């Protein structure tokens, strides 16, 4: 790319990313529209996970002017926890916080304002969740139609699935000791429940984005074959499903985000043509910018051209984001999602019991803290192994020893800036064992180290380590034609149906073609070196034992340099110390391009030590991977900052 061509590219790219017609939110801005506006629907998200702040509901309910309010609680880890809870008592297995914290204090105002609520708080027991909600409504003397959607639970088909349908998945045998199996349902049952007049819809396992897509299908009467509209609605749901993660939460430029204590939760206002804007509740903290929304767009996806959902296969690669400061905290217009027919299969999340785990976490201070911490942890392991042998127990199934503060998770990229190492560290010692009795020995032997081993141990965080059963995730695909979905309204069964699979196709995810270095031979070079943080935003997340890292250029002119330098191989080498290769030919890191936002998405297989509750690592979900990549060096480039001035 010669200098003149490069300058033309600069002008086009700058125009594409940073300009566009100004726009406003129909209910917040005072300017009168010059032409009749299409019908708009407003949806807010008040929970991104089980345990999210209770401050979200009142800011949404009293400041958001909403049509729908959604609550997303479920992750693979949460499903494991709910499966354990239901195993203890058949009345448990749903999210109690949804009933007691999110709904009970506000149910009269929700009813008065006519805000309709959709939530996956049903978890493993949606009927139990609805029963608890009915009691709350009776106590408040409000008349609400509460719909329940079931059909995601496959445990009744366990033997049939094991024996005749699924023999193995990804080369792994179907596991024993299965505790739960849940289909990721889509948006159709939610829209059907709303069509029947539901004020509140409770569902179990579903894809997170369907909580928003369902109300949009209901409101705009989108049909099953309007794939680009379904993709746009899915993107709207994807952007707000994690609450404030798209309004400045965990943003790369965290130092620019005001008022964390009152961070605004996200709201979308959508039109029937699939375009929508993202903003936040008024008079709250946080930001809505190109960067905050782009980071959430790449969060926990794989191939953006073939993002597989039950209702549609999405292509987010050409999505564009247009930023405006027209509303308190900013607003971003989103458009450009494309859709293809969905797969005839549902994804299934199973959990299975695989032994027990315990984690000891001990702060330590003083000189040579890293050395002391390692020796202490290794001595505890040696002592307990001797005790195991004396009692006839096998060795640990797995052990993970980390000295937090030593930058071990950075591997060869760790910095040692203090002579002699840090004087404050935390020992992280996590273990697996097939027998609970063996871990009871481990748990008892942590405290004696405080008086009989290294000086400087200040505490055992949380006291004696707790022993927990290990529920590991297992994923496979199951034909939609075998799933029957039921809708109940106020305790009465009203409908049974199956997904329409006439608009489906078999799609297999493909890898991006490797970028040839020939494509960059004319890209101007120079003597400058930048940290990735200077040129890009990053966001990382997880699905099982796979992590993803999204990288978005801060300016279009940076994008070709990121593409040239940040190859899949470069990222694999950077995280080599955290990747586990199961087969010699296995591709561990794949890269996908999102030119619409000048972004790259890296998918890292076998990178989380099993992931979730199956991992012994201090970062089992890869939440810090994006932050770790910020120190990656982009070398041999011109003075890029001067090019955009």
């Amino acid at each position: 790319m010669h200098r003149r061509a490069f300058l033309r590219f600069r002008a086009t790219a700058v125009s594409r990313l940073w300009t566009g017609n100004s726009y406003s939110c129909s209910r917040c801005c005072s300017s009168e529209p010059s032409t009749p506006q299409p019908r708009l629907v407003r949806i807010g998200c008040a929970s991104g996970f089980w345990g999210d702040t209770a401050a979200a509901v009142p800011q949404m309910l009293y400041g958001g002017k909403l049509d729908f309010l959604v609550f997303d609680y479920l992750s693979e880890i949460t499903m494991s926890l709910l499966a354990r809870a239901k195993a203890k008592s058949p009345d448990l297995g749903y999210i109690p916080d949804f009933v007691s914290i999110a709904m009970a204090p506000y149910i009269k105002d929700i009813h008065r304002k006519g805000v309709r609520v959709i939530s996956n708080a049903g978890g493993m027991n949606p009927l139990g969740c609805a029963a608890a909600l009915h009691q709350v409504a009776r106590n408040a003397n409000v008349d609400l139609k509460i719909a329940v959607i079931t059909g995601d639970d496959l445990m009744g088909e366990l033997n049939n699935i094991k024996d005749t349908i699924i023999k193995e998945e990804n080369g792994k045998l179907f596991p024993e000791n299965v505790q739960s199996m849940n289909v990721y349902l889509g948006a159709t049952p939610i829209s059907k429940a709303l069509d029947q007049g539901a004020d509140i819809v409770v569902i179990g396992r579903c894809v997170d984005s369907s909580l928003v897509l369902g109300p949009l299908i209901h409101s705009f009467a989108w049909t099953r074959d309007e794939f680009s509209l379904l993709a746009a609605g899915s993107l709207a749901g994807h952007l707000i499903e994690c609450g404030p993660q798209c309004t400045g939460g965990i943003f790369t430029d965290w130092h620019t985000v005001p008022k964390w204590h009152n961070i605004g939760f996200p709201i979308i206002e959508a039109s029937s043509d699939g375009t929508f804007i993202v903003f936040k509740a008024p008079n709250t903290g946080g930001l809505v910018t190109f960067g905050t929304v782009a980071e959430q767009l790449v969060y926990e996806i794989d191939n953006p051209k073939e993002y597989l959902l039950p209702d549609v296969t999405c292509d987010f690669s050409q999505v564009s984001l247009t930023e405006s400061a027209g509303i308190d905290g900013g607003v971003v217009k989103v458009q450009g999602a494309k859709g293809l027919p969905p797969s005839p299969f549902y994804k299934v999340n199973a959990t299975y019991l695989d032994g027990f785990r315990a984690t000891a976490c001990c702060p330590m201070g003083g000189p040579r803290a890293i050395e002391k911490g390692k020796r202490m942890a290794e001595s505890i392991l040696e002592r307990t192994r001797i005790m195991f042998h004396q009692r006839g127990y096998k060795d640990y199934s797995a052990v993970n020893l980390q000295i937090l503060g030593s930058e071990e998770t950075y591997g060869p990229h760790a910095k040692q800036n203090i002579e002699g190492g840090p004087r404050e560290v935390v020992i992280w010692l996590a273990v697996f064992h097939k027998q609970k009795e063996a871990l009871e020995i481990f748990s008892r032997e942590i405290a004696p180290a405080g008086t009989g081993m290294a000086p400087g141990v200040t505490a055992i965080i949380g006291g004696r380590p707790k022993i927990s059963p290990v529920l590991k995730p297992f994923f496979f695909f199951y034909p939609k034609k075998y799933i029957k979905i039921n809708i109940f309204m106020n305790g009465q069964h009203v409908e049974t149906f199956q997904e329409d699979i006439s608009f489906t196709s078999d799609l297999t995810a493909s890898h991006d073609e490797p970028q040839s270095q020939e494509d960059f031979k004319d890209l101007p070079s120079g003597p400058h070196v930048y940290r990735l943080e200077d040129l890009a935003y990053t966001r990382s997340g997880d699905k099982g034992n796979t992590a993803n890292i999204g990288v978005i250029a801060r300016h279009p002119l940076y994008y070709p340099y990121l593409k040239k330098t940040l190859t899949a191989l470069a990222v694999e080498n950077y995280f080599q110390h955290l990747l586990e290769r199961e087969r010699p030919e296995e591709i561990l890191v794949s890269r996908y391009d999102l030119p619409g936002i000048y972004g790259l998405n890296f998918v890292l297989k076998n990178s989380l030590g099993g992931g979730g509750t199956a991992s012994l690592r201090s970062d089992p979900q890869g939440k810090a991977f994006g932050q770790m990549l910020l120190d990656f060096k982009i070398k041999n480039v011109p003075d890029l900052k001067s090019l955009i001035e």
Side-chain angles (χ1 to χ4, degrees):
M1 186 184 293
H2 296 294
R3 176 79 178 176
R4 183 174 298 174
F6 184 76
L7 291 175
R8 285 199 301 269
F9 166 76
R10 177 175 73 175
T12 302
V14 172
S15 174
R16 182 180 176 191
L17 183 62
W18 299 113
T19 65
N21 295 329
S22 62
Y23 53 89
S24 61
C25 165
S26 67
R27 305 186 196 182
C28 294
C29 298
S30 58
S31 59
E32 292 294 329
S34 57
T35 57
Q37 296 295 304
R39 184 187 172 199
L40 300 171
V41 172
R42 185 179 286 198
I43 304 174
C45 178
S47 175
F49 67 99
W50 183 11
D52 214 338
T53 175
V57 178
Q59 69 169 234
M60 288 289 200
L61 185 59
Y62 304 122
K65 299 181 181 179
L66 303 177
D67 298 299
F68 299 93
L69 180 60
V70 303
F71 296 83
D72 176 24
Y73 290 105
L74 300 183
S75 67
E76 286 76 20
I77 290 178
T78 306
M79 292 298 287
S80 297
L81 296 174
L82 294 176
R84 270 169 38 195
K86 191 176 183 183
K88 293 179 181 178
S89 171
D91 295 330
L92 302 178
Y94 63 88
I95 305 295
D97 295 7
F98 174 64
V99 177
S100 61
I101 297 175
M103 297 300 293
Y106 308 103
I107 198 161
K108 287 187 176 181
D109 287 340
I110 288 172
H111 177 63
R112 177 176 58 83
K113 288 176 172 288
V115 176
R116 303 171 79 178
V117 174
I118 303 98
S119 179
N120 57 14
M124 302 293 296
N125 188 6
L127 290 170
C129 182
L133 274 177
H134 277 296
Q135 186 60 54
V136 168
R138 283 192 292 269
N139 292 344
N141 196 29
V142 295
D143 184 19
L144 292 170
K145 295 181 71 174
I146 302 175
V148 178
I149 297 166
T150 65
D152 62 295
D153 189 346
L154 292 184
M155 282 301 288
E157 298 295 318
L158 175 60
N159 291 332
N160 181 49
I161 291 172
K162 287 180 62 175
D163 295 340
T164 63
I165 303 233
I166 303 293
K167 292 299 182 183
E168 58 182 71
E169 174 72 11
N170 294 328
K172 297 179 180 178
L173 294 176
F174 198 88
E176 300 295 330
N177 300 317
V178 173
Q179 305 295 299
S180 67
M181 287 194 301
N182 293 84
V183 165
Y184 288 83
L185 294 177
T188 299
I190 296 173
S191 67
K192 284 180 174 287
L194 293 170
D195 290 344
Q196 300 211 28
D199 300 302
I200 300 174
V201 179
V202 176
I203 191 169
R205 179 75 276 191
C206 62
V207 293
D208 302 341
S209 58
S210 67
L211 300 175
V212 172
L213 178 59
L216 294 177
I217 292 174
H218 162 75
S219 299
F220 298 133
W222 290 343
T223 60
R224 294 289 299 150
D225 60 346
E226 292 182 297
F227 299 120
S228 288
L229 294 177
L230 298 177
S234 298
L235 177 57
H238 176 69
L239 290 178
I240 71 172
E241 69 192 28
C242 293
Q245 284 189 194
C246 75
T247 58
I250 65 173
F251 184 37
T252 300
D253 294 349
W254 54 269
H255 54 282
T256 67
V257 181
K259 299 179 182 178
W260 282 349
H261 68 281
N262 187 36
I263 192 165
F265 273 60
I267 300 170
I268 64 105
E269 187 173 81
S271 174
S272 59
D273 66 1
T275 60
F276 62 92
I277 59 173
V278 183
F279 56 101
K280 64 184 181 65
N283 302 314
T284 59
L287 290 173
V288 180
T289 67
F290 169 84
T292 67
V293 176
E295 282 193 16
Q296 183 59 26
L297 194 159
V298 297
Y299 182 63
E300 293 186 345
I301 65 171
D302 40 45
N303 186 346
K305 293 182 181 178
E306 295 176 2
Y307 186 47
L308 304 178
L309 295 173
D311 302 285
V312 61
T313 298
C314 303
D315 180 355
F316 295 155
S317 63
Q318 296 294 338
V319 167
S320 65
L321 307 176
T322 310
E323 179 183 325
S324 172
I327 300 176
D328 176 29
V331 61
V332 169
K333 184 177 183 179
V334 184
Q335 54 191 347
K338 302 296 182 183
L340 297 167
S343 163
F345 296 90
Y346 283 120
K347 183 179 179 181
V348 181
N349 175 202
T351 63
Y352 64 99
L353 186 64
D354 190 32
F356 300 85
R357 62 173 294 159
T359 302
C361 205
C362 307
M364 172 174 284
R368 299 165 64 187
I370 294 175
E371 183 182 347
K372 288 189 298 183
K374 286 184 176 179
R375 183 176 173 190
M376 184 179 113
E378 290 166 353
S379 297
I380 292 170
L381 293 173
E382 185 174 358
R383 174 182 285 176
T384 53
R385 282 174 169 136
I386 292 172
M387 293 179 175
F388 291 175
H389 180 72
Q390 292 170 344
R391 290 163 174 77
Y393 300 143
K394 292 183 178 180
D395 195 2
Y396 294 105
S397 303
V399 170
N400 183 46
L401 167 59
Q402 292 177 247
I403 305 299
L404 306 183
S406 69
E407 298 199 6
E408 277 186 278
T409 55
Y410 279 82
H413 317 296
K415 296 178 180 178
Q416 297 295 338
N417 295 326
I418 305 173
E419 185 178 353
R423 293 173 295 177
E424 293 177 340
V425 299
V426 175
I427 303 165
W428 177 282
L429 181 57
V431 293
F432 279 150
H433 203 285
K434 296 293 185 181
Q435 293 177 267
K436 184 177 181 181
E437 295 79 6
L439 291 193
E440 289 173 348
I441 295 173
F442 169 83
S443 181
R444 289 195 301 266
E445 290 300 323
I446 301 300
T451 57
M453 294 185 185
V457 175
T458 63
I460 302 172
I461 298 175
R464 180 176 286 184
K466 180 182 178 181
I467 301 167
S468 303
V470 175
L471 285 173
K472 292 185 176 180
F474 183 80
F475 300 96
F476 61 93
F477 292 93
Y478 192 74
K480 289 179 178 177
K481 63 183 179 181
Y482 295 136
I483 300 296
K484 291 184 178 180
I485 302 170
N486 291 289
I487 300 176
F488 299 83
M489 192 74 71
N490 287 355
Q492 300 298 313
H493 179 265
V494 295
E495 185 176 0
T496 298
F497 70 97
Q498 293 177 286
E499 285 278 12
D500 181 359
I501 59 173
S502 60
F503 298 111
T504 58
S505 65
D506 290 308
L507 287 170
T508 56
S510 59
H511 298 293
D512 270 11
E513 290 295 323
Q515 186 74 54
S516 169
Q517 291 300 302
E518 286 294 309
D519 296 342
F520 304 109
K521 64 180 181 180
D522 293 328
L523 192 65
S525 61
H528 293 271
V529 177
Y530 290 95
R531 291 175 59 250
L532 181 62
E533 186 174 9
D534 297 326
L535 307 181
Y537 309 103
T538 64
R539 171 71 63 81
S540 56
D542 72 301
K543 287 295 178 186
N545 196 26
T546 295
N548 90 292
I549 307 173
V551 179
I552 306 104
R554 292 179 180 271
H555 192 281
L557 294 183
Y558 302 160
Y559 186 52
Y561 293 96
L562 298 181
K563 289 184 68 176
K564 178 181 179 180
T565 306
L566 270 178
T567 62
L569 180 60
V571 172
E572 179 175 334
N573 290 337
Y574 193 82
F575 288 99
Q576 189 65 51
H577 59 290
L578 297 177
L579 301 172
E580 298 172 346
R581 190 178 299 278
E582 295 179 347
R583 300 185 300 275
E585 71 281 5
E586 190 171 24
I587 298 174
L588 291 180
V589 178
S590 301
R591 192 188 81 175
Y592 304 102
D593 294 351
L594 294 92
I597 59 169
Y598 303 97
L600 306 169
N601 187 47
F602 297 91
V603 179
L604 289 71
K605 291 181 60 180
N606 302 338
S607 58
L608 300 174
T613 58
S615 175
L616 297 178
R617 295 183 186 175
S618 60
D619 183 11
Q621 296 176 279
K623 299 298 186 184
F625 280 19
Q627 290 290 295
M628 294 166 68
L629 194 61
L630 291 176
D631 286 318
F632 187 94
K633 297 296 191 299
I634 309 295
K635 301 178 180 179
N636 303 319
V637 297
D639 184 358
L640 295 176
K641 297 299 179 72
S642 67
L643 291 175
I644 66 174
E645 293 175 355

